[in-house]
Amino acid sequence: MRPLTAIAAAIPLLAATACTGGDLSPGLSTVPPDRIAGVEYRAVSVEHDGAKVAYRYPAVPNAPALTREVRTVMAEAETEFMTARNAKDADDGPAELRQDAAFLAAAPDVLGVRVRTEHKGGPDPATTWTTRWYDAESGDVLPWTALLNGEDAVGALRAEVARVLRDDAGIAEEKLPKEFRSIKEHAAAPGAASPSPAEVDPRKAKKTAKKNAGSALADLGFDATGGLVVSLPPGSVSAEAAEQARGALLDGESRDGRRKGGALRVPIGGDAGAPLLSAFGERAAKAARKGAGGDGDEGSGKGEPVRVAAGGAKGAPPSSIDCGRVPCVALTFDDGPGDHTGKLLDSLDSYSAKATFYLLGQAVKGNEDVVRRMTRTGHETANHSWKHDDLAGKSGGAVADDMKRTDRVIEKAGGEPVRSMRPPYGSFNDTTAANVGHPVVLWDVDTLDWKHRSTKKTIRAAVDKSEPGSVVLFHDIHRPTVDAFPETLRKLHARGFHFVTVTELFDGELTDGKSYSRRK
Ligand code: NI
């Protein structure tokens, strides 16, 4: 099995900088994404009203919780960026948001990811980094504190960073970042007898991370030998002090990535760093080491790419975004496919928006290519009956037959399983529900587009009535509805919304025969 080199080649920025420790992930050692089997990057790209948003998140096979966390972190930044632009004069703030992710470590049992968030094009351009760690044994996504052996080790790391900045880099005490000033020798100072590393307690690690929110220690990773490294963000110390420190602290590996005004790399020597690690941290350090599955054995050619173990993925959410943390809407289109559906798909693509199509079985015939395009581009195809009969007037057997016949033609055309149904006219009774064999998905926002056939009214209804968790009803067989896009997307995106499928909105927690109208 080969890694997806074609995908790696399509992302030269990431591939190039991941190897040199340059712009994408200065200071910390990284693993090229093609060293992890099956990684695919999914892109989100939106541009309107002078605002540009572009990011890519890695989808890692067997690690859906990590994929979801990274995407959600990026989506949170997108919502914050869009709503901030909306709240004030757009010309005041940065015009562009760019995000990317690099791997800090890779082994079958551990992955480390560093997300870079960059604001460009305004008076205050800024780059920030955040890290996440994946424990494939438990399926948990963990914060930086999970690398360390408890709260004491966080304090000891802070003391050691302060010591390195003072003694090794020669930065005067009063010029240190505030967090590292006047730290007394820590009780569990590096080198002191420390408790044997504990397996990580996710709850405690998250609590400690919360307690240390905003700490410069959070951008924590390793060098190529598995030694701990803290990367301080640009501006942590004065430019002069940073330049002096860089000269003192840089080793051969990071000298290439040297950049004026960039992050400041603080290596924590093995003697000082090793005792601070939790058992999980030790596994992560091993996974970051060159040749340990990470960078491949130099000299002996590259080995097999790392395959992330499937053990912890059980019960993982099917959604690749957490709609409990970011505002999501599910845009749904009934009665198609129709003559204008292709144009609608173009509009959705331009916003990286995913929608759900409640298709009529009889309309699928002859439009198989459109249905295939829907599934290929990440939309969801679902069941709206064969020919729009009122299912409440049918026997249980007739309902079941109608559903099965419609499922078959949709699944054959699109190649994806049908995961929900919507009854025509929203009309159903207990017999219907008991026989559809799918969750019954209604809506909470009705654009009434079929009735007024007005582009303006369709936009207004969708934009004004949508709330986080809404399911919005449209009909893509009507031209004025399709003409309401991309304007509807533009306005909802400006409000910070993310466009997800019905299954994603409900986190896959839908039960056959039960009805749903919005995410609670
Ligand atoms: Ni309908």
Side-chain angles (χ1 to χ4, degrees):
M1 288 279 203
R2 288 170 50 78
L4 290 175
T5 43
I7 284 165
I11 45 168
L13 167 80
L14 191 101
T17 54
C19 299
T20 59
D23 192 47
L24 181 61
S25 203
L28 304 179
S29 179
T30 57
V31 178
D34 66 354
R35 297 299 304 140
I36 304 162
V39 169
E40 281 180 48
Y41 273 80
R42 295 184 185 151
V44 172
S45 170
V46 184
E47 188 174 348
H48 62 82
D49 300 334
K52 266 192 206 173
V53 171
Y55 54 94
R56 293 172 309 174
Y57 60 94
V60 186
N62 292 335
L66 181 67
T67 302
R68 173 187 166 99
E69 173 67 20
V70 172
R71 182 182 173 193
T72 302
V73 163
M74 292 183 176
E76 284 175 324
E78 182 181 14
T79 293
E80 202 179 303
F81 173 74
M82 289 312 302
T83 49
R85 277 185 64 85
N86 236 7
K88 57 180 180 180
D89 188 355
D91 295 337
D92 287 352
E96 195 175 340
L97 173 70
R98 288 188 160 276
Q99 301 187 85
D100 221 322
F103 290 96
L104 295 176
D109 60 333
V110 181
L111 286 173
V113 174
R114 189 186 198 203
V115 176
R116 182 192 63 175
T117 302
E118 194 179 0
H119 291 95
K120 294 171 82 172
D124 295 313
T127 305
T128 54
W129 289 270
T130 186
T131 57
R132 294 293 186 280
W133 294 87
Y134 180 66
D135 183 357
E137 286 179 7
S138 64
D140 287 319
V141 179
L142 302 164
W144 62 281
T145 46
L147 299 176
L148 301 170
N149 196 20
E151 231 180 309
D152 246 10
V154 174
L157 176 65
R158 184 171 288 119
E160 179 61 9
V161 169
R163 192 199 63 73
V164 170
L165 289 175
R166 242 182 7 239
D167 301 352
D168 299 352
I171 300 176
E173 176 83 19
E174 68 273 14
K175 288 189 175 168
L176 293 178
K178 211 169 173 194
E179 177 180 357
F180 301 106
R181 268 179 240 162
S182 46
I183 293 180
K184 294 200 182 77
E185 199 70 358
H186 195 269
S194 59
S196 61
E199 255 315 324
V200 66
D201 176 343
R203 220 174 35 88
K204 271 191 191 158
K206 283 174 190 169
K207 216 171 135 188
T208 307
K210 217 172 184 181
K211 234 170 135 176
N212 288 278
S215 169
L217 299 174
D219 200 13
L220 182 64
F222 300 93
D223 62 24
T225 66
L228 265 181
V229 177
V230 173
S231 178
L232 300 181
S236 300
V237 294
S238 71
E240 191 190 340
E243 197 49 35
Q244 174 196 337
R246 255 182 221 112
L249 295 177
L250 277 181
D251 55 25
E253 185 199 22
S254 45
R255 210 171 290 273
D256 296 338
R258 180 170 175 166
R259 204 159 51 94
K260 223 176 177 172
L264 180 58
R265 178 183 190 276
V266 183
I268 306 300
D271 290 348
L276 301 181
L277 296 177
S278 65
F280 176 74
E282 288 179 348
R283 280 198 274 138
K286 201 176 150 206
R289 225 173 280 156
K290 254 190 184 154
D295 255 349
D297 265 326
E298 281 172 333
S300 62
K302 287 196 169 184
E304 282 285 300
V306 168
R307 252 162 225 296
V308 178
K314 282 192 294 279
S319 167
S320 69
I321 190 166
D322 186 345
C323 291
R325 276 162 57 186
V326 292
C328 298
V329 281
L331 307 176
T332 65
F333 299 90
D334 288 10
D335 300 358
D339 294 342
H340 317 295
T341 304
K343 187 172 178 256
L344 173 64
L345 291 172
D346 292 342
S347 295
L348 292 169
D349 280 352
S350 71
Y351 278 75
S352 301
K354 306 305 172 203
T356 304
F357 291 87
Y358 286 96
L359 305 168
L360 292 177
Q362 67 174 12
V364 169
K365 290 186 106 180
N367 282 314
E368 286 86 354
D369 52 336
V370 182
V371 178
R372 181 81 196 110
R373 182 178 167 195
M374 289 171 182
T375 55
R376 237 191 11 243
T377 47
H379 303 294
E380 190 167 334
T381 47
N383 191 324
H384 195 44
S385 84
W386 185 262
K387 56 182 176 65
H388 217 271
D389 290 337
D390 183 349
L391 299 180
K394 289 189 176 230
S395 70
V399 167
D401 287 348
D402 186 307
M403 288 293 110
K404 277 180 202 146
R405 185 184 179 198
T406 307
D407 278 357
R408 262 199 305 275
V409 71
I410 295 170
E411 290 174 355
K412 196 177 169 214
E416 290 290 330
V418 167
R419 294 197 169 86
S420 69
M421 67 83 61
R422 173 174 286 160
Y425 317 103
S427 165
F428 69 104
N429 56 29
D430 290 349
T431 306
T432 323
N435 289 281
V436 287
H438 286 301
V440 177
V441 174
L442 305 171
W443 57 86
D444 67 314
V445 176
D446 191 346
T447 61
L448 295 172
D449 57 341
W450 59 275
K451 202 170 170 186
H452 51 61
R453 307 282 176 99
S454 153
T455 295
K456 257 190 186 162
K457 285 180 182 170
T458 301
I459 295 168
R460 200 179 308 142
V463 174
D464 292 353
K465 290 198 235 160
S466 287
E467 289 169 30
S470 280
V471 177
V472 191
L473 171 63
F474 303 90
H475 298 80
D476 55 317
I477 51 169
H478 302 308
R479 181 64 196 245
T481 298
V482 172
D483 286 344
F485 292 82
E487 183 71 0
T488 299
L489 294 164
R490 186 183 72 80
K491 290 192 158 160
L492 286 172
H493 184 255
R495 283 178 58 194
F497 277 105
H498 301 271
F499 309 107
V500 299
T501 65
V502 161
T503 296
E504 286 189 311
L505 185 73
F506 290 98
D507 255 345
E509 287 181 9
L510 296 168
T511 306
D512 288 357
K514 283 196 171 174
S515 68
Y516 304 84
S517 59
R518 56 161 298 146
R519 181 191 166 106
K520 297 275 186 273

